[in-house]
Amino acid sequence: MAKEKILIVEDEKEIVKLLTYNFEKEGYQVLTASDGEAGLALAKSKRPQMIILDLMLPKVDGIEVCKQIRRDSQVPIIMLTAKKEETDRVLGLELGADDYVTKPFSVRELVARVKSLFRRSKEKAWETKLVQIGKLEVDLERYEVKLSGKLVELSSKEFTFLKILLSAQGKVLTRDQLLESVWGYEQASEIDTRTVDQHVARLRVKLGSEASRLATVKNIGYKFKLA
Ligand code: CA
């Protein structure tokens, strides 16, 4: 099994060294960044399963890093804060950090928090943005769809279309709703609703043996049958 990746975003070298040593000893793979910008880049490219995020960082501060990561991921984030940064800590939790540790902290306590957060939030990590329906596997992070393990080539519009149908959890979406969500049109003219039908037809071809899940609801719209 691949090691779980922890990203440490912290500009104090001593803390980075200490944490890297201890997390590696616990069997984790450690990635480090010494400013917010590098931290964001690593979070996006390496998809860590846990992020330890200092608040006061050069270039982009911890609050902003947290906010940006939360736009596309529910990866667990533990904030490192100094006592005087109480309001920032509250703000951090509001922005979606899962836990915080006040400096100076005990490494043993931080390791324990990381372990408990891993246990609690496995289902929230990057990998679990994976939806499995029949022979279909939809990876909402990577914008990938597989049918029986084979990659299906979808245009970005087709993927968005599928994603919106999936997020409706089996409910019917009207052509107008689909148009608005996928194309952002406010009003659907006749030619526009036909665009929806054309996308459905193309998607059905690409979904092969699972095509019948994309069901037409006569005179209303479409739904994606989950069962
Ligand atoms: Ca700092």
Side-chain angles (χ1 to χ4, degrees):
M1 215 179 92
K3 285 183 183 175
E4 277 157 325
K5 274 182 285 205
I6 299 180
L7 169 62
I8 301 169
V9 191
E10 166 66 87
D11 56 326
E12 285 172 65
K13 290 196 175 68
E14 285 308 308
I15 295 183
V16 174
K17 244 164 85 180
L18 185 71
L19 293 183
T20 302
Y21 171 80
N22 280 278
F23 283 129
E24 283 180 350
K25 207 172 72 182
E26 292 290 332
Y28 298 113
Q29 185 190 339
V30 176
L31 307 163
T32 65
S34 57
D35 66 65
E37 203 178 273
L40 272 173
L42 270 183
K44 281 175 189 159
S45 63
K46 303 286 184 188
R47 297 166 184 248
Q49 283 88 24
M50 176 85 60
I51 299 177
I52 313 285
L53 180 61
D54 184 32
L55 253 181
M56 305 294 276
L57 287 167
K59 294 187 185 172
V60 181
D61 70 28
I63 295 286
E64 184 59 28
V65 171
C66 183
K67 213 159 87 184
Q68 290 199 27
I69 288 172
R70 276 291 169 268
R71 279 186 206 144
D72 20 64
S73 169
Q74 288 302 311
V75 59
I77 298 174
I78 299 181
M79 287 262 189
L80 298 182
T81 72
K83 258 231 161 64
K84 58 176 174 8
E85 295 161 347
E86 187 76 7
T87 46
D88 293 338
R89 169 177 75 71
V90 174
L91 186 57
L93 290 175
E94 275 174 9
L95 289 175
D98 297 84
D99 203 352
Y100 69 92
V101 168
T102 310
K103 289 177 181 176
F105 56 87
S106 108
V107 175
R108 196 187 291 181
E109 191 197 330
L110 181 55
V111 171
R113 298 254 189 127
V114 164
K115 283 184 177 170
S116 104
L117 207 48
F118 263 129
R119 276 194 301 271
R120 280 194 280 135
S121 54
K122 278 257 149 75
E123 73 276 10
K124 285 167 73 189
W126 296 95
E127 275 77 6
T128 52
K129 293 238 169 167
L130 210 62
V131 184
Q132 190 116 33
I133 306 139
K135 290 174 188 156
L136 274 181
E137 206 180 280
V138 183
D139 189 328
L140 300 172
E141 289 280 353
R142 292 173 195 268
Y143 283 73
E144 273 177 14
V145 177
K146 285 178 183 168
L147 178 66
S148 304
K150 276 177 79 178
L151 209 60
V152 179
E153 297 281 346
L154 295 186
S155 71
S156 70
K157 280 275 183 291
E158 288 164 351
F159 187 88
T160 308
F161 198 96
L162 182 62
K163 187 173 164 178
I164 285 162
L165 277 168
L166 282 175
S167 63
Q169 303 275 345
K171 287 198 204 85
V172 183
L173 291 175
T174 65
R175 286 180 175 80
D176 286 353
Q177 282 172 330
L178 282 163
L179 260 182
E180 206 184 312
S181 319
V182 181
W183 285 270
Y185 294 172
E186 285 186 4
Q187 268 190 331
S189 64
E190 200 181 325
I191 184 116
D192 293 330
T193 48
R194 232 165 37 214
T195 309
V196 174
D197 298 340
Q198 283 161 1
H199 270 74
V200 167
R202 276 208 293 276
L203 258 177
R204 281 196 180 126
V205 171
K206 293 182 178 183
L207 296 181
S209 58
E210 298 287 345
S212 63
R213 289 184 185 275
L214 212 177
T216 307
V217 180
K218 210 175 167 219
N219 297 328
I220 300 177
Y222 296 99
K223 67 175 178 181
F224 202 88
K225 293 191 277 184
L226 302 175

